[in-house]
């Protein structure tokens, strides 16, 4: 076959093959599926909410009433009681307004990105009784008014002291939460569009909708880039309510894990088309009346989902723009049996792997295709999988099924004194400066012998040069601050030179202009981590197989050789480069569980023997006109060069037929080259010029 031969797939032939093989591959037909790859088959994974026993505590110096950035809602001027009797609605709204007012100030000052200051709303253990929606008051924030009415809210972060001890409870029979309403208890937006980096989080608490509130929505979620819902119990006192989590505002994305939703019509209800891709892992959904999970036109990645006693389907896809990858999950209806399938695919595309169902008549049903029969699914995808000519036989049209490892858990010290607060180590001479240099203070905090290091007080920290992370440090928590390094030096801020048995977690930090240099084979987790104006991570290990976990990580990659010879697990990642490949991987095993990319460059490049598995995500086709050729980017979305991959994803972006990416996939092997264009792909209905990349398998015999 000559170089650059254009792939032409016979969809009908491939679909027939896929349907035939999926029947063979149903769990229960055989203990070992005919086409299983023995060396990559994972053990049976744990599913559902893992109930982390996180006790979130901070040193006194980090609290707002002591000059820090953690807002204790029980302290003045907010004065919530948390006694289960007093109505704390006004107190919680006042804390919310404190954040919103910092956004208003920037909008009034004409700042292009109206970013709020870096505060965390902290709820000590207690029961906070509310009677209305917890959201900012006053006029709804509007960003870029002259272009569109878009939500300007961002940086709303709720942190409970403990999931079991911190409870927000809606009063029984609260006004406005009657049948026919759809009113949130906590809302992260007041508009249905929000096109800025919101970085919103709700973590470590319980939300109880009480009784007699059938119009209640526990969380109206909105959040772009490093946003998350983690370690939550969301429950309805009487089983009634519209939804545990509703996603209505676009774009909304992020990684969400370890929570339980009990009751409501819908456990998770995802609606928007535009740039809405969320990754959910380790989630328990119990007792929903309509469906545990519903996608309208959104896309999602789902893993380790445990559905229990659902009265309707466990998963419904309604809209033609919807796409879901769901793996390693158990979907259970009511014991009296549900007269429907566990997964109901009305429109859209789907990838499933290692799915069990109980008390359903079938694991899947659809009017779009002849669904596989049986209550369990080994692996099935619709539309039919694609294989690159010359790389596979039809019997191997399966995902790579790479081994999956959990990210290191979120950790806090046992007592507030366990933190080394960087501000406590700042010298008197630096304190006297208008812009103190925190380099020596940071190094002293790292060298203190304490395992937990905190940036507790400042909105931004200037750090003039690199610091070395000793093996005694386990967690560096920025409390969502910004570290500003030397723009011209390009030197890293954090250097990891020493190995250690415990992984190192660097979290809740944005680094401007500099990076993390990973020089020791120590396992590293970058969580709620990103950068602006720099290439934030480089692996400089000579050893192979060094482990890297990326969770809610943004603006990484962009440098050839940065990710090399590693094992990488990426749970929702986002990079938007106009000049470099967004994520270049070399000689690595890479598992991607949700992503968003943007602009005109290659989104993912797998080279030199890399094994890449992508389970869901969106390539935003927003491109600057100066980089386009005849209206299209000259680059593919995915490049696989002398490597293996299984990819399941889609596009998003401006609604234009002749714009953005022309080529979804280019595969190079030696002197041979093949490509797969957007025009050949299944259309993502809803906006012009959008497409789905069905499960695409690139594997050598």
């Amino acid at each position: 076959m000559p170089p650059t031969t254009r792939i032409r797939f016979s969809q009908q032939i491939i679909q027939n093959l896929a349907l035939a093989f999926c029947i063979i591959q149903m769990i229960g037909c055989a203990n070992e599926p005919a086409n299983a790859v023995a060396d990559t088959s994972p053990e049976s994974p744990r599913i559902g909410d893992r109930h982390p026993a996180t006790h979130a505590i901070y040193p006194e110096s980090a609290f707002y009433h002591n000059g820090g950035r953690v807002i204790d809602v029980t302290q003045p001027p907010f004065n919530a009681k948390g006694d289960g009797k007093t109505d704390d609605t006004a107190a919680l709204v006042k804390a919310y307004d404190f954040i919103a007012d910092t956004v208003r100030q920037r909008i009034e000052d004409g700042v292009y990105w109206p970013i709020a200051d870096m505060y965390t709303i902290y709820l000590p253990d207690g029961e906070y009784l509310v009677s209305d929606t917890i959201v900012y008051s006053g006029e709804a924030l509007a960003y870029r008014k002259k272009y569109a009415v878009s939500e300007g809210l961002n940086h709303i972060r709720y942190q409970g002291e403990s999931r079991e001890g911190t409870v927000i409870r809606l009063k029984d029979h609260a006004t406005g939460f009657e049948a026919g309403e759809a009113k949130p208890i906590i809302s992260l937006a007041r508009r249905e569009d929000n096109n800025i980096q919101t970085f919103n989080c709700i973590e470590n608490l319980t939300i109880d909708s009480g009784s007699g509130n059938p119009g209640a929505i526990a969380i109206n979620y909105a959040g772009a880039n490093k946003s998350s819902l983690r370690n939550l119990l969301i429950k309805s006192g009487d089983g009634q309510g519209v939804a545990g989590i509703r996603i209505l505002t676009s774009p909304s994305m992020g990684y969400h894990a370890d929570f339980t939703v009990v009751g409501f019509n819908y456990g998770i209800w995802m609606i928007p088309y535009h740039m809405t891709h969320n990754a959910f892992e380790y989630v328990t959904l119990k007792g929903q009346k309509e469906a545990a999970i519903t996608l309208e036109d959104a896309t999602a990645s789902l893993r380790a989902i445990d559905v229990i006693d659902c009265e309707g389907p466990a998963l419904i896809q309604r809209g033609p723009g919807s796409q879901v990858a769901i793996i390693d999950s158990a979907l259970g209806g009511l014991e009296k049996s549900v007269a429907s399938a566990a997964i109901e695919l009305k429109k859209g595309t789907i990838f499933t792997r290692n799915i069990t169902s109980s008390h359903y008549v079938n694991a899947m049903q659809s009017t779009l295709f002849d669904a596989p029969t049986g209550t369990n699914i080994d692996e099935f995808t619709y539309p039919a999988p694609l294989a690159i000519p010359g790389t596979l036989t039809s019997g191997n049209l399966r995902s790579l099924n790479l081994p999956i490892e959990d990210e290191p858990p979120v950790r806090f010290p046992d007592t507030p004194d366990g933190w080394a607060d960087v501000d406590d180590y700042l010298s008197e001479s630096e304190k006297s400066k208008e812009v103190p240099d925190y380099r020596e203070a940071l190094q002293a905090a790292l060298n203190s012998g304490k395992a937990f290091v905190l940036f507790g007080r400042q909105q931004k920290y200037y750090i003039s040069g690199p610091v070395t992370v000793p093996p005694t440090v386990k967690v560096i928590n920025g409390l969502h601050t910004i570290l500003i390094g030397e723009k011209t030096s390009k030197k890293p801020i954090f250097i990891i030179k020493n190995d250690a048995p415990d992984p190192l977690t660097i979290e809740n930090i944005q680094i401007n202009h500099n990076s993390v240099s990973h020089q020791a084979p120590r396992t590293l987790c970058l969580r709620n981590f990103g950068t602006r104006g720099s290439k934030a991570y480089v692996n400089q290990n000579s050893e192979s197989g060094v482990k890297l976990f990326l969770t809610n990580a943004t603006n990484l990659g962009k440098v050839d050789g940065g990710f090399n010879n590693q094992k990488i697990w990426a749970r929702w990642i986002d990079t938007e480069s106009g000049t470099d490949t967004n994520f270049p991987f070399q000689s690595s095993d890479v598992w991607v569980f949700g992503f968003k990319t943007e602009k005109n460059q290659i989104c993912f490049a797998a080279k030199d023997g890399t094994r890449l598995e992508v389970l869901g995500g969106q390539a935003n086709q927003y491109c600057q006109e100066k980089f386009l050729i005849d209206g299209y980017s000259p680059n593919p979305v995915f490049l696989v060069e002398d490597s293996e991959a299984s990819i399941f994803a889609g596009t998003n972006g401006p609604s234009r037929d002749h714009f953005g990416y022309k080529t979804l996939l280019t595969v190079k092997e030696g002197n041979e080259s093949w490509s797969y264009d957007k025009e050949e792909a299944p259309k993502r209905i809803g906006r012009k010029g959008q497409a789905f990349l069905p499960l695409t398998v690139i594997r050598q015999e």
Side-chain angles (χ1 to χ4, degrees):
M1 184 178 292
T4 66
T5 301
R6 181 77 49 200
I7 297 170
R8 300 295 178 190
F9 295 100
S10 174
Q11 293 284 346
Q12 188 62 51
I13 292 173
I14 294 175
Q15 174 134 358
N16 290 341
L17 284 169
L19 289 172
F21 274 95
C22 83
I23 294 172
I24 294 172
Q25 294 162 358
M26 299 299 294
I27 294 176
C29 292
N31 290 331
E32 292 294 331
N35 297 310
V37 181
D39 64 343
T40 60
S41 296
E43 297 179 1
S44 296
R46 179 173 34 182
I47 62 169
D49 184 354
R50 294 171 295 182
H51 299 272
T54 305
H55 187 207
I57 52 176
Y58 300 98
E60 281 299 313
S61 59
F63 285 96
Y64 174 68
H65 57 273
N66 292 323
R69 290 181 289 109
V70 179
I71 297 172
D72 182 341
V73 297
T74 67
Q75 297 295 318
F78 313 105
N79 299 316
K81 298 300 182 184
D83 58 10
K85 299 176 183 179
T86 306
D87 189 333
D88 283 324
T89 306
L92 298 185
V93 169
K94 189 171 185 177
Y96 210 131
D97 282 343
F98 179 87
I99 310 297
D101 286 345
T102 68
V103 178
R104 285 195 173 95
Q105 180 62 45
R106 283 163 172 75
I107 291 175
E108 291 171 1
D109 289 348
V111 176
Y112 180 73
W113 290 105
I115 299 298
D117 286 339
M118 313 298 178
Y119 290 98
T120 295
I121 300 174
Y122 180 76
L123 286 76
D125 283 351
E127 184 176 294
Y128 300 83
L129 188 65
V130 299
S131 57
D132 204 349
T133 301
I134 307 305
V135 71
Y136 66 94
S137 60
E139 183 182 357
L141 292 165
Y143 163 58
R144 295 197 299 186
K145 286 184 179 180
K146 67 179 181 179
Y147 298 111
V149 178
S150 183
E151 178 73 60
L153 180 70
N154 53 78
H155 291 195
I156 294 296
R157 303 184 178 103
Y158 280 94
Q159 173 81 58
E161 181 178 349
S162 69
R163 168 169 154 173
E164 296 75 19
T166 302
V167 180
I168 298 174
R169 184 172 67 83
L170 180 64
K171 283 185 177 180
D172 295 345
H173 305 285
T175 301
F177 294 89
E178 299 86 2
E181 301 294 331
K183 187 171 183 176
I185 299 172
I186 294 181
S187 183
L188 296 179
R190 287 174 54 185
R191 300 181 185 273
E192 294 182 16
D193 178 76
N194 189 349
N195 201 40
I196 57 177
Q197 303 170 27
T198 50
F199 305 153
N200 296 333
C201 304
I202 302 177
E203 301 179 348
N204 221 43
L205 51 80
T206 291
I207 300 173
D208 184 345
S209 69
S211 296
N213 295 308
I217 295 168
I219 297 174
N220 186 54
Y221 174 77
N225 302 23
K226 304 184 291 285
S227 296
S228 65
L229 303 171
R230 298 194 69 146
N231 196 21
L232 303 172
L233 172 59
I234 300 167
K235 63 181 181 179
S236 168
D238 58 5
Q240 298 186 78
V242 176
I245 298 168
R246 180 185 68 174
I247 301 175
L248 180 64
T249 299
S250 65
S252 280
M253 49 195 95
Y255 174 73
H256 320 291
D258 289 313
F259 64 82
T260 293
V261 180
V262 180
F264 302 94
N265 293 336
Y266 302 100
I268 303 170
W269 185 14
M270 291 176 271
I271 298 170
Y273 184 106
H274 175 59
M275 283 319 309
T276 297
H277 186 97
N278 289 272
F280 292 91
E281 191 174 26
Y282 294 114
V283 174
T284 297
L285 304 165
K286 183 176 182 180
Q288 280 75 51
K289 291 178 171 56
E290 298 293 334
I293 302 172
T294 298
L295 278 79
E296 304 297 343
D297 275 317
T299 68
S301 302
L302 309 173
R303 178 176 180 263
I305 309 297
D306 191 14
V307 176
I308 303 169
D309 294 339
C310 187
E311 296 183 35
L315 170 63
I316 296 177
Q317 283 184 253
R318 290 177 176 160
S322 67
Q323 183 181 67
V324 66
I326 178 169
I327 65 171
D328 301 338
S329 296
L331 312 178
L334 281 173
E335 189 169 348
K336 65 183 181 182
S337 81
V338 179
S340 66
I343 299 173
E344 187 175 291
L345 180 64
K346 296 183 177 182
K347 295 179 181 179
T349 67
I350 192 167
F351 170 75
T352 61
R353 187 175 70 208
N354 191 21
I355 304 298
T356 64
S357 70
S358 57
H359 309 302
Y360 287 103
V361 296
N362 212 37
M364 183 184 296
Q365 71 179 23
S366 178
T367 59
L368 303 176
F369 53 85
D370 293 330
T373 58
T375 56
N376 301 326
I377 302 174
D378 176 44
E379 181 167 310
F380 175 80
T381 186
Y382 173 83
L386 308 179
I388 303 304
T391 67
L392 286 173
T393 63
S394 59
N396 285 321
L397 291 177
R398 295 174 56 87
S399 61
L400 293 186
N401 198 8
L402 295 179
I404 301 169
E405 290 193 16
D406 292 341
E407 61 164 344
V410 176
R411 293 182 293 178
F412 285 78
D414 294 332
T415 66
D417 291 340
W419 288 109
D421 190 334
V422 173
D423 285 275
D424 289 340
Y425 297 85
L426 189 66
S427 68
E428 292 299 323
S429 61
E430 288 297 333
K431 287 180 183 178
S432 64
K433 295 180 180 179
E434 183 177 353
V435 180
D437 181 354
Y438 278 86
R439 180 183 182 184
E440 291 185 6
L442 174 56
Q443 189 65 71
L446 293 168
N447 292 344
S448 67
K450 294 185 177 182
F452 297 84
V453 175
L454 184 71
F455 293 86
R457 303 182 209 174
Q458 311 304 322
Q459 299 292 334
K460 299 177 182 180
Y461 290 80
Y462 169 62
I463 298 171
S464 62
V467 296
T468 300
V469 182
T472 52
V473 175
K474 298 178 182 179
V475 174
I476 301 171
N477 189 331
L479 264 179
H480 306 283
T481 194
I482 297 174
L483 307 186
I484 301 175
E486 286 292 340
K487 185 174 183 179
T488 57
S489 73
K490 305 299 183 183
K491 292 180 179 179
I493 285 183
F494 295 108
I495 299 177
I496 304 165
K497 283 187 175 181
N498 304 110
D499 197 6
D502 289 310
L504 171 65
T505 297
I506 304 177
E507 61 185 352
N508 304 328
I509 286 177
Q510 176 176 307
I511 295 179
N512 287 4
H513 313 310
N514 303 84
S515 64
V516 174
S517 174
H518 196 176
Q519 299 180 11
R522 185 178 186 183
T523 296
L524 174 64
C525 176
L526 301 177
R527 178 167 48 229
N528 295 338
F529 179 92
T531 185
R532 186 174 182 182
S534 62
K535 300 170 181 180
Y537 171 85
V538 178
N539 175 36
Q540 296 180 313
N541 275 277
S542 58
E543 296 187 27
S544 63
V546 175
K547 294 182 179 181
L548 174 66
F549 294 88
L550 304 174
T551 303
N552 266 351
T554 65
N555 220 15
L556 278 74
K558 302 182 295 183
V559 53
D560 286 336
F563 298 121
N564 65 88
N565 212 15
Q566 293 177 268
K567 294 184 183 296
I568 300 171
W569 292 271
R571 290 165 163 88
W572 207 89
I573 52 176
D574 170 25
T575 289
E576 304 168 11
S577 176
T579 56
D580 306 282
T581 296
N582 285 282
F583 293 103
F585 299 110
Q586 295 174 307
S587 307
S588 296
D589 280 4
V590 185
W591 182 74
V592 178
F593 186 62
F595 75 89
K596 191 261 281 189
T597 53
E598 194 165 325
K599 299 182 180 173
N600 56 286
Q601 291 296 315
I602 296 170
C603 298
F604 290 84
K607 298 182 179 182
D608 303 326
T610 288
R611 296 193 302 169
L612 170 67
E613 182 164 55
V614 177
L615 298 180
Q618 294 188 8
N620 190 355
Q621 300 186 100
Y622 174 75
C623 300
Q624 293 178 279
E625 298 282 354
K626 64 182 179 181
F627 293 119
L628 303 181
I629 299 175
D630 296 328
Y632 289 110
S633 168
N635 303 300
V637 178
F638 293 95
L639 171 64
V640 180
E641 186 172 336
D642 298 319
S643 297
E644 296 186 334
S646 54
I647 303 168
F648 183 72
T651 71
N652 189 79
S655 184
R656 306 183 207 173
D657 281 328
H658 193 74
F659 185 80
Y661 289 100
K662 182 177 183 180
T663 302
L664 296 181
L665 171 69
T666 294
V667 177
K668 296 181 179 180
E669 294 175 8
N671 293 323
E672 299 291 312
S673 178
W674 302 269
S675 62
Y676 180 67
D677 277 0
K678 187 167 61 175
E679 285 75 12
E680 303 173 75
K683 300 296 182 288
R684 186 180 179 210
I685 306 301
R687 290 192 173 199
K688 293 179 181 179
Q690 307 309 317
F692 290 121
L693 182 62
L695 178 68
T696 302
V697 183
I698 303 115
R699 179 188 285 154
Q700 295 299 312
E701 290 285 12

